[in-house]
Amino acid sequence: MNNETNVLLQNKIKELIIPASKVAHVQLGNSLEHALLVLIKSRYSAVPVLDSAYKIQGQISKTMILESILGLERIEYEQLDGRFVEEVMDSNIPHMSEDDYFLKALELSINHPYVCIEDANGVFVGILTRRSILALVYQYFRKQ
Ligand code: AMP
């Protein structure tokens, strides 16, 4: 591996993070109706789920919500208000720390469109998207 490749792979991910203040999210206890509104308005297919202490609990997507209200013959929209984010979210999502290296982000981006980043106390600080990872890899190869 040449030196420049090493530099790329050993880069810290800090500069690539989209800060929490710019990330659409929902919280535990929010209704599925609220979550669907956030997803539709933000136009993202999935967003992080946080608790009241701003710690990452999982993610929720439009597909998860729609699947959970699928009846035998129709989508039962009336269920949206009486059901909650924690009933359908995926809790099994990867996390990274701000101090992790680029190589780990690159590996996780194979299977995840974005990865949540937390600080040393487990508090959500933002996300790293596959888009920003690919953009950096593209810049690297263009310079070669
Ligand atoms: P992108 O690579 O920009 O298409 O983003 C990939 C995925 O990351 C999106 O489908 C969303 O699930 C998530 N995402 C990106 N930006 C945001 C944001 N500002 N707020 C919430 N989720 C986001």
Side-chain angles (χ1 to χ4, degrees), residues 26-27 29-41 60-62 65-66 68-69 76-88:
V26 297
Q27 291 200 331
N30 287 160
S31 69
L32 291 187
E33 183 169 37
H34 174 82
L36 194 57
L37 281 172
V38 169
L39 286 159
I40 292 170
K41 287 210 152 197
I60 193 161
S61 70
K62 287 181 193 132
I65 295 176
L66 292 177
S68 77
I69 59 166
E76 297 169 351
Y77 289 104
E78 62 279 10
Q79 285 195 44
L80 280 177
D81 199 28
R83 302 194 55 197
F84 298 93
V85 161
E86 50 272 38
E87 295 172 42
V88 306

Side-chain angles (χ1 to χ4, degrees), residues 62-73:
K62 287 181 193 132
T63 311
M64 288 173 206
I65 295 176
L66 292 177
E67 222 169 25
S68 77
I69 59 166
L70 198 59
L72 277 181
E73 289 184 353

Side-chain angles (χ1 to χ4, degrees), residues 6 15 17 22-23 29 34 45 50-51 59 79 83 85-86 88-89 101 103 107-109 117:
N6 255 328
E15 304 93 75
I17 295 172
K22 294 192 174 150
V23 176
H34 174 82
S45 52
L50 307 179
D51 66 15
Q59 72 165 353
Q79 285 195 44
R83 302 194 55 197
V85 161
E86 50 272 38
V88 306
M89 70 181 192
Y101 291 108
L103 184 60
E107 184 189 2
L108 285 172
S109 76
I117 316 294

Side-chain angles (χ1 to χ4, degrees), residues 14 91 93 115 124:
K14 245 180 197 148
S91 314
I93 59 165
V115 179
F124 180 63

Side-chain angles (χ1 to χ4, degrees), residues 18 22-25 42-48 59 113-114 127-132:
I18 299 177
K22 294 192 174 150
V23 176
H25 73 272
S42 67
R43 298 179 152 227
Y44 295 118
S45 52
V47 294
Q59 72 165 353
Y114 73 95
I127 59 171
L128 193 58
T129 64
R130 185 183 281 159
R131 180 195 299 264
S132 59

Side-chain angles (χ1 to χ4, degrees), residues 10-20 56 95-102 104-105 115-128:
Q10 298 294 315
N11 245 329
K12 291 272 170 77
I13 55 170
K14 245 180 197 148
E15 304 93 75
L16 299 177
I17 295 172
I18 299 177
I56 305 153
H95 304 184
M96 283 180 67
S97 125
E98 298 173 286
D99 294 321
D100 278 331
Y101 291 108
F102 185 71
K104 182 170 177 188
V115 179
C116 289
I117 316 294
E118 60 195 0
D119 70 12
N121 301 314
V123 174
F124 180 63
V125 294
I127 59 171
L128 193 58

